Amino acid sequence: EKKTSQVHKSIQDFISATTTSLQCSSSGSGGDDINFISLVIRGPPKPKATKKSNNQELVDLQKEKLRGCIRAVHGRLVRLPSKKKKSSSSNDVVLQATFKYHGATDIARNWNIENNSKDVTNGLYELFSSSSSGKGKEGESSVSSFASEWGHVYKNDIRSATLETKGG
């Protein structure tokens, strides 16, 4: 119970720090020390065979179990050209999240950072909540929005999350 509470607090703190740094970066307000640079979220690493034991079959089985699971998510700010032809000088700034999977094709998603980073908050919350329980809001499986071409992944098993800002 206490450990779960600490995990949820850490997730909330990470999401809050990410959205704050994105808002400061997009609005130009705040100090340079909190402006967003990138984020990296890591899942389980690829299993490796060791020289000491002949466990190639076990490694192959573990790799097959990981197929389609999220290996890493890399986030960066990207400026997209506006879809409105009238204002050719304006650009939309989005957080581009690249989902890297074990044994599957990478997928990039663009999350709008306007409106208090609601897209980013929802996306990160969904990613972390699917990792911790395999279920999203109202008991429905939420991992499908992050599933690779291998289909439904029930547990992403997120291991770490790092937010890089100009201040470190």
Side-chain angles (χ1 to χ4, degrees):
E1 180 81 22
K2 185 177 179 183
K3 188 175 181 180
T4 303
S5 173
Q6 290 173 340
V7 169
H8 288 297
K9 181 172 179 355
S10 296
I11 290 170
Q12 291 293 54
D13 291 347
F14 178 79
I15 292 172
S16 176
T18 301
T19 56
T20 299
S21 67
L22 286 168
Q23 288 301 311
C24 290
S25 294
S26 68
S27 67
S29 66
D32 282 339
D33 59 332
I34 58 173
N35 283 347
F36 179 88
I37 294 177
S38 68
L39 68 84
V40 178
I41 299 170
R42 299 226 180 264
K46 178 175 89 171
K48 296 177 184 173
T50 60
K51 291 182 180 179
K52 291 183 179 179
S53 62
N54 189 6
N55 61 353
Q56 188 58 45
E57 287 181 20
L58 180 61
V59 170
D60 291 342
L61 181 63
Q62 289 172 338
K63 282 183 183 179
E64 191 59 36
K65 285 183 179 180
L66 281 177
R67 185 182 303 273
C69 288
I70 292 175
R71 178 172 46 94
V73 179
H74 296 273
R76 64 186 183 142
L77 287 180
V78 176
R79 196 173 296 277
L80 299 177
S82 179
K83 292 182 181 179
K84 299 175 185 174
K85 294 187 179 188
K86 291 181 181 177
S87 58
S88 60
S89 63
S90 74
N91 292 321
D92 295 330
V93 178
V94 298
L95 174 66
Q96 184 178 70
T98 305
F99 292 79
K100 298 180 176 285
Y101 299 94
H102 286 281
T105 306
D106 297 351
I107 297 174
R109 300 188 191 276
N110 293 330
W111 289 334
N112 189 352
I113 62 172
E114 301 299 320
N115 301 326
N116 295 326
S117 302
K118 190 173 182 178
D119 287 353
V120 176
T121 303
N122 290 341
L124 290 174
Y125 176 77
E126 187 175 352
L127 178 63
F128 284 114
S129 65
S130 66
S131 170
S132 60
S133 67
K135 299 289 181 186
K137 295 177 184 173
E138 300 173 9
E140 295 179 4
S141 178
S142 64
V143 188
S144 60
S145 62
F146 301 115
S148 70
E149 76 263 22
W150 288 95
H152 212 61
V153 178
Y154 290 98
K155 189 172 182 191
N156 288 323
D157 198 18
I158 301 300
R159 304 282 173 97
S160 68
T162 305
L163 173 64
E164 185 178 351
T165 61
K166 286 187 179 176

